[in-house]
Every structure is written in C-alpha cells, then in structure tokens.
Amino acid sequence: MAREQQTIEKVALEVKRLTEQLVAAGRKDLLLKAIGVQLVEELRIEAARGRLSRLVITADYRFILSDYNNTEVELQPVHKAVYLLFLRHPEGIEFKRLRDYKQELMELYAKTARWMDREKIEDSVEKLVDPLDNAINEKCSRIKKVFLDLMDEYRASYYIISGHTQKHIGGRVWYERLKVITLPRELIIIEGK
C-alpha cells in the first residue's frame, strides 16, 4: 500500500510538472483538451467544497448557511417553495414543464406560507407554471440576488437555480434546458426528515 501511495504521488508530481510546462508555453487549450471539460467541472466542485456552507432548512422553513456564522437566507415563502421544488429534483426541471410539478409546488408553497390564503397560493402557483408568464424567471432572479448578497459569485453559483443543457441524440438531436441547483446534496440538511 505504501508503495502504491508513492506511485500515485509521483504521478501527481508529473501531472503538475506537465501542467506547468503547458501553462508556461501558453497552451491552456491543450491542457483543457487533455483533462477534459467534465473533469474540470468535477475539480471545480471539489475545490469549492471546502468553501461552501451547509444549507440547513429548519422545520419552520428558515434557510440557514450554518458554516457562514448561521447566516439566514432571507426569502419570501414563494421563493422558498420554488427553491425546495428544485432541491427535490436534482435531475433538473425545464421551466416549460413546470405545470407537471404544479401540485407539488402548491403543497410546498402552502407549507412555507401557512398564514396565506389558499386562493392566493393557487393564483401565484398558476402564474409560476404558466410558460407564457415570466413569474418563474423573476423568482429565480430574486433567489440569485439574495445568494449573491451573501457570498461571491463563484460560491453562489452552487446555491442558485441555474441552467444546464443536455443534448439528446436519437432519431433527431434535441436539447433539454434543465434548471438545477448544483449544491452537493451532502451539504443540504433538511430538519425533520
């Protein structure tokens, strides 16, 4: 095992040496090609993990960044409901298909806004799931702004609802424009679960 560890460490040193050579030669393009975009993204996530906070969602639906001095993420109930919906679906959701999640969104909104009248909740959710209404984009923009007010853009990118496009090749090529929250799920703590 010790010999195996030494070999791996030698490989890491060689990778570092070669990386420095490519960077010094001004050939980051070749470095990216050699490493691959997928691995770069995985490395980015790994590097950020040490600087990301756990997101604690309390039983009364308060959102707390526990590793940032228990800072509360101040969101309105509708924003919390939208955020919780996307947390429940790490595979992502296309905005144009939000109507498929209408009932789930309604239930989440009713939980985050216990004091609000059911009819107002239904009206708000109807606007959110209407593909011709801009309400969902407005809510996601507000969520993004709240996180950007609390942290730098790099870290915030893991907490916000952002776009992710998947290319499908079958009888024809088509794209899914999914919206996701990329925060690693082990950093999300939902109390009462």
Side-chain angles (χ1 to χ4, degrees):
M1 175 120 172
R3 195 177 288 188
E4 204 174 284
Q5 183 65 26
Q6 287 176 341
T7 303
I8 290 172
E9 288 173 4
K10 284 181 184 177
V11 168
L13 287 172
E14 182 64 12
V15 168
K16 182 179 187 230
R17 186 185 68 73
L18 293 171
T19 298
E20 288 170 351
Q21 275 185 336
L22 286 169
V23 170
R27 295 304 309 262
K28 290 180 183 174
D29 60 319
L30 288 176
L31 181 59
L32 182 59
K33 185 177 178 182
I35 293 174
V37 175
Q38 180 63 34
L39 181 56
V40 169
E41 183 59 25
E42 289 173 26
L43 291 170
R44 192 184 122 192
I45 290 169
E46 192 61 36
R49 278 183 207 269
R51 298 186 328 217
L52 296 176
S53 173
R54 289 168 290 169
L55 176 63
V56 177
I57 300 168
T58 65
D60 61 344
Y61 297 102
R62 290 177 40 240
F63 289 33
I64 309 290
L65 295 168
S66 64
D67 300 307
Y68 297 161
N69 298 320
N70 287 325
T71 302
E72 184 165 356
V73 180
E74 301 282 345
L75 294 170
Q76 296 296 317
V78 66
H79 301 104
K80 290 178 180 182
V82 168
Y83 199 84
L84 289 167
L85 178 70
F86 282 88
L87 280 180
R88 282 186 175 182
H89 295 279
E91 72 282 1
I93 300 172
E94 284 187 293
F95 280 175
K96 68 182 181 182
R97 300 200 190 292
L98 264 176
R99 188 160 297 282
D100 298 344
Y101 302 87
K102 181 179 177 180
Q103 189 57 42
E104 188 175 358
L105 187 54
M106 190 108 56
E107 290 166 11
L108 289 167
Y109 195 7
K111 288 178 183 178
T112 61
R114 292 188 185 121
W115 45 267
M116 192 178 280
D117 147 326
R118 183 77 178 176
E119 191 174 306
K120 285 184 181 179
I121 290 173
E122 288 174 6
D123 289 345
S124 291
V125 169
E126 190 56 45
K127 287 181 181 179
L128 287 169
V129 302
D130 182 352
L132 301 177
D133 196 306
N134 200 35
I136 189 64
N137 289 304
E138 291 167 0
K139 302 306 180 241
C140 290
S141 290
R142 178 68 185 139
I143 291 166
K144 179 179 180 178
K145 183 188 180 323
V146 169
F147 279 104
L148 284 171
D149 287 347
L150 297 173
M151 61 188 70
D152 62 75
E153 190 174 338
Y154 180 73
R155 284 185 282 183
S157 70
Y158 289 91
Y159 294 89
I160 64 173
I161 299 166
S162 59
H164 173 71
T165 302
Q166 281 188 338
K167 183 177 181 178
H168 297 275
I169 302 173
R172 62 186 176 95
V173 175
W174 60 282
Y175 296 89
E176 257 184 318
R177 287 171 176 72
L178 300 167
K179 300 293 183 175
V180 297
I181 298 172
T182 59
L183 186 66
R185 291 314 189 247
E186 65 267 15
L187 294 177
I188 301 166
I189 301 159
I190 301 175
E191 292 181 350
K193 268 199 154 188

